[in-house]
Amino acid sequence: MAIETLACPDCGAELQMGLPRNSTVRSVAPEPREEPADDRVKERENACPNGHRLYVTFEF
């Protein structure tokens, strides 16, 4: 697992999130995306330090 530093799309606050090694972050959004068609693309929910919900889409 690798630790990625991400920015909240609402307020810009930084947060750290563990993602699989060699994964690529595709987007950080305030709302969930449509179900990915590719099995190598996943989405995880998280929250910034200010409590804003965000959804991280990544490919591995």
Side-chain angles (χ1 to χ4, degrees):
M1 182 118 350
I3 303 297
E4 294 285 332
T5 300
L6 307 169
C8 174
D10 286 330
C11 67
E14 288 188 352
L15 67 136
Q16 293 188 334
M17 183 172 180
L19 295 171
R21 291 199 188 281
N22 300 321
S23 63
T24 302
V25 175
R26 291 179 129 192
S27 70
V28 179
E31 299 291 329
R33 304 288 177 149
E34 292 182 22
E35 187 68 29
D38 189 341
D39 289 339
R40 297 177 301 158
V41 177
K42 301 287 182 198
E43 183 175 76
R44 289 191 184 155
E45 182 180 0
N46 205 335
C48 80
N50 295 322
H52 300 119
R53 289 273 170 224
L54 55 100
Y55 298 84
V56 179
T57 303
F58 61 95
E59 181 176 1
F60 58 97

